[in-house]
Amino acid sequence: RKEVEQDPGPFNVPEGATVAFNCTYSNSASQSFFWYRQDCRKEPKLLMSVYSSGNEDGRFTAQLNRASQYISLLIRDSKLSDSATYLCVVTRNFGNEKLTFGTGTRLTIIP
Amino acid sequence: DAGITQSPRHKVTETGTPVTLRCHQTENHRYMYWYRQDPGHGLRLIHYSYGVKDTDKGEVSDGYSVSRSKTEDFLLTLESATSSQTSVYFCAIRETGKDNEQFFGPGTRLTVL
């Protein structure tokens, strides 16, 4: 079983719709959680950290469920510019902060 | 912008040749990382550094070595490149703060023929 699992998609969503992704992780000792987005042939860019209490940044909401070991990302009022691959990332070790990446969920927003 | 550059950005080489990739940062970050990205695998850690001359292995370190003689530069060397090392290589730095987020350089696309 992979340490971090995501539905690869693709998700094809009309502009203005709400879309949600889930990500599961296998190591209950995981400490920190992030969502990154990656555009085609570009580097991953940090979208947001994920906190136990849930957090929101504009149209984006991230939630963490430690008991079930999953992380979610909700995008409201989706824009064409949201088209990208979304990477779920967890860390296990404090100090070295070695990241473990999911393989990503591909999102395409349709006009 | 985390001030990270990578060179070269693209390289084509032949099996058996040595290759060195360079990561350069301008903001004096202590931690630096090398990842590779391949379809179906996500990004995987090759090596990382926690200071000058302090490095350690990641999950896919076989066939790679690293060096960090200055804070700003982290070099990744393929001693004898193989076709399985064809990949996109990303360097990252870790910021010291509340969440210790990592930020990535633009990547190097390496093809080994």
Side-chain angles (χ1 to χ4, degrees), chain B residues 13-95:
Chain B
T13 191
E14 293 189 349
T15 297
T17 60
V19 176
T20 295
L21 309 182
R22 180 184 184 233
C23 177
H24 179 78
Q25 53 127 340
T26 59
E27 298 184 1
N28 210 35
H29 296 289
R30 179 183 172 194
Y31 285 86
M32 299 182 75
Y33 305 81
W34 276 108
Y35 294 88
R36 60 178 289 175
Q37 186 174 33
D38 305 288
H41 285 281
L43 280 90
R44 292 178 292 173
L45 181 66
I46 304 171
H47 282 279
Y48 66 98
S49 170
Y50 45 96
V52 173
K53 299 191 189 304
D54 291 324
T55 64
D56 205 349
K57 296 179 179 179
E59 62 179 299
V60 290
S61 59
D62 288 348
Y64 302 94
S65 62
V66 289
S67 66
R68 191 158 178 212
S69 59
K70 298 184 290 185
T71 299
E72 58 266 35
D73 288 325
F74 191 30
L75 304 181
L76 177 70
T77 297
L78 291 65
E79 302 290 348
S80 178
T82 67
S83 58
S84 64
Q85 294 175 311
T86 293
S87 188
V88 181
Y89 291 86
F90 289 102
C91 173
I93 59 91
R94 191 190 102 191
E95 292 205 342

Side-chain angles (χ1 to χ4, degrees), chain A residues 33 35 47-58 60-64 72-74 76, chain B residues 99:
Chain A
F33 308 89
W35 284 102
L47 181 65
M48 58 198 303
S49 303
V50 185
Y51 303 123
S52 297
S53 55
N55 48 299
E56 188 174 307
D57 183 1
F60 299 85
T61 300
Q63 294 198 314
L64 167 64
S72 63
L73 177 67
L74 182 77
R76 290 182 300 278
Chain B
D99 297 322

Side-chain angles (χ1 to χ4, degrees), chain A residues 2 32 34 36 38 41-46 49 51 87 95-103, chain B residues 31 33 35 37 40-43 45 48 57 90 94 98-106 109:
Chain A
K2 290 183 178 178
S32 300
F34 307 94
Y36 281 73
Q38 186 173 25
R41 302 179 77 85
K42 298 287 189 179
E43 73 273 22
K45 292 187 177 179
L46 180 67
S49 303
Y51 303 123
L87 307 175
N96 300 330
E97 297 300 327
K98 290 185 278 189
L99 304 183
T100 302
F101 285 78
T103 54
Chain B
Y31 285 86
Y33 305 81
Y35 294 88
Q37 186 174 33
H41 285 281
L43 280 90
L45 181 66
Y48 66 98
K57 296 179 179 179
F90 289 102
R94 191 190 102 191
K98 178 185 174 199
D99 297 322
N100 294 318
E101 303 98 332
Q102 291 189 18
F103 295 90
F104 289 81
R109 192 168 295 271

